[in-house]
Amino acid sequence: MTMIKNERVSIPQAAKELGMSAQGLREHIKAGYLGHVMPSVSGRTKTYFVYREELEAFKRGQTVKDPSEAEQKTEALTQIMTKLIQETIQQMQQTQINQ
């Protein structure tokens, strides 16, 4: 199988490959075993995702040993996404002002 760098696997597909429910996979993600969870800008919902490379590593028994490491990665991703969203909103507002 050819892997695309940073290819995301849907939660239902990843759960199927691991022989668990989608909710079970979300619990594994929240615990820091694999994948990532990102809160929405509003903070009311969360997006869960898994990259193909980490799914394959998990299937081989290679997991994140320290859940705090996963939390740090998720926090960094959250900060990056929040900044990108804020910049996009500012650009859209500026475009509206200039029209």
Side-chain angles (χ1 to χ4, degrees), residues 47-97:
T47 299
Y48 295 83
F49 60 95
V50 177
Y51 290 113
R52 172 57 64 191
E53 287 181 28
E54 44 186 13
L55 177 60
E56 295 303 324
F58 187 82
K59 291 195 289 188
R60 290 190 305 269
Q62 301 169 345
T63 62
V64 175
K65 302 288 189 254
D66 181 4
S68 66
E69 180 183 336
E71 291 171 12
Q72 290 170 357
K73 288 179 182 179
T74 299
E75 179 62 29
L77 284 171
T78 300
Q79 290 175 0
I80 291 167
M81 293 301 295
T82 300
K83 184 177 179 182
L84 287 171
I85 290 167
Q86 289 171 341
E87 288 173 359
T88 301
I89 290 169
Q90 288 174 349
Q91 289 174 355
M92 291 172 68
Q93 289 171 337
Q94 188 63 39
T95 300
Q96 289 176 344
I97 290 170

Side-chain angles (χ1 to χ4, degrees), residues 1-56:
M1 169 173 63
T2 303
M3 279 195 274
I4 299 170
K5 185 136 178 88
N6 296 328
E7 173 190 8
R8 285 190 185 187
V9 182
S10 71
I11 295 302
Q13 179 61 38
K16 181 178 176 183
E17 290 183 32
L18 294 172
M20 64 174 63
S21 69
Q23 186 57 40
L25 177 56
R26 287 185 196 95
E27 294 300 321
H28 272 65
I29 293 171
K30 283 195 282 190
Y33 294 115
L34 79 158
H36 307 273
V37 59
M38 300 269 308
S40 67
V41 175
S42 69
R44 287 180 270 198
T45 61
K46 296 180 180 173
T47 299
Y48 295 83
F49 60 95
V50 177
Y51 290 113
R52 172 57 64 191
E53 287 181 28
E54 44 186 13
L55 177 60
E56 295 303 324

